[in-house]
Amino acid sequence: MAPSTPVFDSISTEVSRFETGAICSVLNGVIRRLISQGLQVVESSAAKLFPRIRSGSYADIGSRPSMDDEHVRIDDLSAHLGSYFKCPSSFYAVFDGHGGPDAAAYVKRNAVRLFFEDVHLPQTSDVDDVFLRALLNSHREAFLQADSALADKSIVSSSCGTTALTALVLGRHLVVANAGDCRAVLCRKGVAVDVSQDHKPSYLPERRRVEELGGRVQGEYLNGPSVTRALSVTRALGDWDFKLPVGSTSPLTAEPEVQQFMLTEADEFLIIGCDGIWDVMSSQHAVSLVRRGLRRHDDPELSARELVMEASRLHSADNLTAVVVCFASPNPVESCEPRSRRLRFFCLSEEARSKLKSLFEGN
């Protein structure tokens, strides 16, 4: 075998489901056979051990009169796409609608088509730099295509829109795309790491971008052409009464920020949630709450529910949606209760008490 030939590519192409135990068994067996034969092992990025994905989600209408949040949770993309990707893959998304539920519902219904079926990616057995650049660009195009579709008044009202955040896990690669104020947060050994940016008028880079394009920001809101319309976000899909004609650059944009990360053994789980969660708690608060729950019951569905219930307890005034994606089973919680001390009682004789008394008095 030539040293430059990735020895695991033929294996990874046949892995269609996220079965970590089977993957580890196959890879370890191949490694042992190659080493026993004195052959050099060259590992490709597709050969790296993948996280064992489990996820859960929960949504609640909260104090709002209608539910405008939507979300997508797909632990095994191969079940939907066949052999589209050559390594295990999962896809998650949250959409926070405003001006009605129609825009968020449309993007959810068409998410798989927009992000995977209508895109053209390089055919490769490895997730290399060329493939990742094409993937990031395809995610940007998916946001913009969804935005253009929402310009059709037969689909939604021109005053209807949605924020959007997607997370694709591809092997050990995490790709996050965001337009709006939904948020994705990694738990890295118990520490919250934001992997998306809230696009609000109060965020200085966004405010500068808006004002350079002729937009107006007043306090926490982006003002529209009409004095009766204002938005608390600077990026969103739809809302065409805010935007210039299709093809023009508007202060309110659907252009997402797309980022790519490499997951490590330190990354325990990912939280993605609509702004109803983040309006009332910090990223660290959410991570600590979910981490405690997972160590107690190891159930991401229950953890997502607990997160939503905590936001409700803290009086969130919005719809509430959370998705929890686990990359590994948590370590069990060590008991924090101190062991009760055993107290020993013993009696002293009259002679012993007399000697102690003399000792303390310095005699």
Side-chain angles (χ1 to χ4, degrees), residues 57-361:
S57 59
Y58 192 79
D60 188 83
I61 192 172
S63 60
R64 291 293 180 90
S66 65
M67 182 59 170
D68 296 344
D69 287 358
E70 296 282 0
H71 69 281
V72 173
R73 181 162 63 91
I74 305 174
D75 287 342
D76 182 9
L77 264 180
S78 64
H80 296 258
L81 305 174
S83 58
Y84 187 88
F85 291 124
K86 302 303 182 183
C87 63
S89 53
S90 307
F91 181 71
Y92 309 93
V94 287
F95 309 108
D96 186 352
H98 46 263
D102 294 341
Y106 173 85
V107 182
K108 175 185 177 176
R109 284 196 308 271
N110 294 278
V112 172
R113 176 181 63 80
L114 288 164
F115 285 92
F116 305 108
E117 294 176 355
D118 288 354
V119 303
H120 301 285
L121 295 173
Q123 294 300 309
T124 176
S125 59
D126 199 6
V127 183
D128 55 16
D129 290 341
V130 173
F131 181 88
L132 285 172
R133 281 196 297 270
L135 183 64
L136 268 58
N137 287 332
S138 74
H139 271 51
R140 291 189 182 93
E141 287 301 316
F143 273 68
L144 297 177
Q145 287 178 15
D147 185 47
S148 296
L150 293 173
D152 185 346
K153 292 183 180 180
S154 67
I155 295 178
V156 298
S157 163
S158 62
S159 60
C160 184
T162 183
T163 62
L165 184 147
T166 64
L168 171 66
V169 183
L170 188 59
R172 280 200 172 274
H173 297 276
L174 171 65
V175 176
V176 176
N178 183 45
D181 56 1
C182 296
R183 189 185 303 172
V185 182
L186 267 177
C187 171
R188 183 166 291 162
K189 287 188 175 179
V191 177
V193 179
D194 289 351
V195 290
S196 69
Q197 174 61 54
D198 300 351
H199 298 131
K200 291 178 174 287
S202 57
Y203 179 49
L204 188 56
E206 280 296 285
R207 180 173 186 140
R208 287 174 177 166
R209 182 189 62 78
V210 165
E211 291 176 342
E212 287 173 359
L213 293 170
R216 293 176 294 125
V217 173
Q218 185 172 9
E220 296 291 319
Y221 293 92
L222 170 64
N223 292 329
S226 168
V227 294
T228 61
R229 277 273 280 161
L231 287 176
S232 60
V233 293
T234 55
R235 302 194 190 202
L237 285 64
D239 296 299
W240 278 98
D241 61 344
F242 259 75
K243 294 175 179 174
L244 299 174
V246 177
S248 305
T249 302
S250 298
L252 178 67
T253 180
E255 177 83 25
E257 283 189 315
V258 188
Q259 302 184 72
Q260 182 263 327
F261 308 87
M262 180 66 78
L263 296 172
T264 70
E265 297 298 327
D267 296 318
E268 301 173 21
F269 57 84
L270 175 74
I271 302 171
I272 62 174
C274 294
D275 67 317
I277 302 291
W278 313 114
D279 286 345
V280 292
M281 69 176 76
S282 67
S283 298
Q284 187 60 58
H285 183 169
V287 160
S288 298
L289 177 73
V290 170
R291 194 173 195 242
R292 284 196 301 270
L294 288 173
R295 289 190 164 198
R296 189 172 63 253
H297 49 63
D298 193 22
D299 184 346
E301 189 88 20
L302 181 54
S303 288
R305 185 180 188 278
E306 289 170 345
L307 185 58
V308 167
M309 292 299 99
E310 173 71 356
S312 182
R313 185 187 70 81
L314 295 172
H315 308 294
S316 175
D318 205 347
N319 299 148
L320 298 162
T321 299
V323 179
V324 175
V325 184
C326 295
F327 302 127
S329 295
N331 295 321
V333 176
E334 295 181 3
S335 174
C336 296
E337 297 180 2
R339 293 182 179 179
S340 58
R341 292 183 177 180
R342 290 185 177 181
L343 300 179
R344 288 187 176 182
F345 297 92
F346 50 92
C347 297
L348 295 175
S349 66
E350 191 66 36
E351 181 183 2
R353 283 199 297 270
S354 179
K355 288 182 178 180
L356 280 174
K357 181 179 179 182
S358 298
L359 179 64
F360 290 142
E361 291 176 350

